[in-house]
Amino acid sequence: MATSNGSSTGTKITALVVDDDRVINAIHCKRLNKLGIENHVAANGKEAVDLHCSGKKFDLILMDRDMPIMNGIEATRELRAMGVRSIIVGVSTRSIKQEIQEFMDSGLDDYQEKPLTSSKVISILHKINCNEFLD
Amino acid sequence: MHSSSLRFFLSLNLSLLLFCGASFFSSAMAGLTALEALTEQLYDFIQSMEDDGIVDYHFKDCYNMKEANGPFLFIELIPTYISDSETTLEEMTAELDQPLVKFKHLEQLCTRLKGGTACIGACRVATSCGELRRAAIAKNKDNCLLRLEMIKGDFSILRNRLEAFLELERRIVTNDYQGC
């Protein structure tokens, strides 16, 4: 379901949607597309890590928590250990504080409870723009 | 050709042209009116699902993504959601049929079902999933069985409404306005 080569060069924001659910992937991609964001999909954490190992970079990663093979917590830790500095936002239906904190502690910049809305994405994008300004 | 015959021929052709143009315009207008009527019917249907607590505003929000993502978005998305959800419900049933229930697996299935369900705005089923997950965390098999039956009931209602919604949507997308 690739829709871009995942490059973070140029002015267009690039995003990686990491989720094993195809309905969620479709909705998140369409939402990002509507906001003019170039997006790519990974079906689990391992695919996300492999994409980065192959040299792909993204401005934004939307990371699901519960996935087969490699979950969001493991994938986030791995990506941070690799030196990935993208904005990584955890997206899950879990609402228990301890579970959210466990996910945040893996290296997330933010956590959003599903469903992801356009206003939530816009607030995340502001964060990206601020980071680019600071860099 | 004699000038009066020519004038007659030309005026006849002009009349025919005007008649065809008027007919075309009239049927185009009728088509547009029928489309508006069907679209209004669809939005009324969405409102009725909201009023009945089956979906929340996220459903309409998802639907409105059609503008930027093509007219077939929902026609493709909803059948996928229904199919995937039915598979997950079967897995939940199978897990609870086991003599030794793996509650952790059941929790994961709840999370999976709740995710896609919440994202399309099907709030009632999403809430039921949350309740089943709490029962699974508590490792209470009887309560899990009860909650699963409730999810199935809620999902059945949702599926019926979504299928009726899809029927309206297909007619809009395929320009089938007859019977409006």
Side-chain angles (χ1 to χ4, degrees):
Chain A
M1 211 177 144
T3 54
S4 79
N5 64 7
S7 168
S8 69
T9 57
T11 54
K12 205 167 191 181
I13 293 175
T14 57
L16 175 65
V17 178
V18 190
D19 204 306
D20 60 324
D21 187 299
R22 48 185 184 158
V23 169
I24 293 171
N25 277 339
I27 291 174
H28 286 175
C29 285
K30 305 296 183 202
R31 197 174 291 288
L32 293 170
N33 189 49
K34 194 179 176 188
L35 293 168
I37 298 167
E38 210 171 271
N39 55 83
H40 201 115
V41 166
N44 57 61
K46 186 172 183 308
E47 280 189 23
V49 169
D50 289 346
L51 272 170
H52 285 84
C53 288
S54 72
K56 299 280 194 290
K57 290 180 188 178
F58 304 92
D59 298 300
L60 169 66
I61 301 171
L62 297 178
M63 183 74 77
D64 184 28
R65 190 192 196 275
D66 300 285
M67 294 178 285
I69 303 171
M70 186 187 283
N71 65 33
I73 291 175
E74 293 161 347
T76 304
R77 280 200 195 115
E78 187 78 22
L79 290 172
R80 291 305 191 206
M82 286 164 60
V84 170
R85 292 180 60 198
S86 311
I87 298 281
I88 305 180
V89 177
V91 190
S92 173
T93 54
R94 291 184 186 238
S95 54
I96 297 171
K97 214 172 172 183
Q98 279 165 307
E99 291 174 334
I100 295 171
Q101 193 55 51
E102 187 190 10
F103 200 2
M104 285 293 299
D105 288 344
S106 68
L108 297 179
D109 293 287
D110 194 8
Y111 175 86
Q112 295 287 349
E113 202 175 323
K114 286 174 182 169
L116 204 63
T117 60
S118 295
S119 58
K120 286 179 185 175
V121 175
I122 288 166
S123 73
I124 293 164
L125 294 178
H126 283 149
K127 198 171 272 194
I128 294 174
N129 284 337
C130 286
N131 280 3
E132 282 178 354
F133 180 73
L134 288 169
D135 285 344
Chain B
M1 190 185 268
H2 197 271
S3 62
S4 59
S5 301
L6 181 63
R7 274 201 296 274
F8 173 75
F9 178 73
L10 284 173
S11 69
L12 183 63
N13 279 342
L14 185 63
S15 302
L16 275 172
L17 202 63
L18 284 170
F19 177 75
C20 290
S23 298
F24 175 78
F25 182 73
S26 169
S27 61
M29 286 303 291
L32 197 64
T33 307
L35 172 60
E36 284 171 347
L38 204 49
T39 306
E40 192 178 336
Q41 198 179 339
L42 184 123
Y43 274 98
D44 285 346
F45 193 86
I46 294 175
Q47 188 59 52
S48 76
M49 287 199 288
E50 283 187 30
D51 292 343
D52 292 342
I54 294 168
V55 302
D56 57 25
Y57 69 93
H58 292 294
F59 186 84
K60 200 188 293 182
D61 189 42
C62 276
Y63 181 69
N64 289 335
M65 289 197 297
K66 258 178 57 166
E67 291 164 21
N69 289 284
F72 296 99
L73 172 64
F74 255 49
I75 285 174
E76 292 164 355
L77 190 71
I78 297 299
T80 303
Y81 164 73
I82 291 172
S83 167
D84 287 357
S85 299
E86 284 171 344
T87 302
T88 305
L89 285 169
E90 282 166 15
E91 288 182 54
M92 287 175 172
T93 305
E95 187 60 62
L96 281 167
D97 274 344
Q98 299 300 316
L100 207 62
V101 175
K102 291 191 202 76
F103 288 103
K104 210 68 188 158
H105 181 225
L106 189 59
E107 271 188 67
Q108 287 164 355
L109 292 170
C110 288
T111 303
R112 190 205 296 174
L113 181 59
K114 189 179 177 187
T117 301
C119 283
I120 67 156
C123 53
R124 188 185 288 180
V125 173
T127 301
S128 300
C129 287
E131 285 161 4
L132 176 54
R133 185 169 179 254
R134 276 187 282 280
I137 290 170
K139 295 183 170 54
N140 186 329
K141 185 171 178 177
D142 287 341
N143 201 8
C144 285
L145 284 164
L146 183 68
R147 297 294 176 189
L148 180 59
E149 284 312 301
M150 289 179 70
I151 292 177
K152 286 177 178 176
D154 289 339
F155 183 76
S156 178
I157 293 168
L158 173 67
R159 185 183 49 223
N160 289 343
R161 299 292 277 267
L162 288 178
E163 284 168 355
F165 168 85
L166 274 181
E167 191 45 47
L168 287 170
E169 177 67 355
R170 275 190 197 101
R171 288 174 63 195
I172 288 172
V173 171
T174 59
N175 300 328
D176 178 9
Y177 310 142
Q178 287 176 9
C180 284

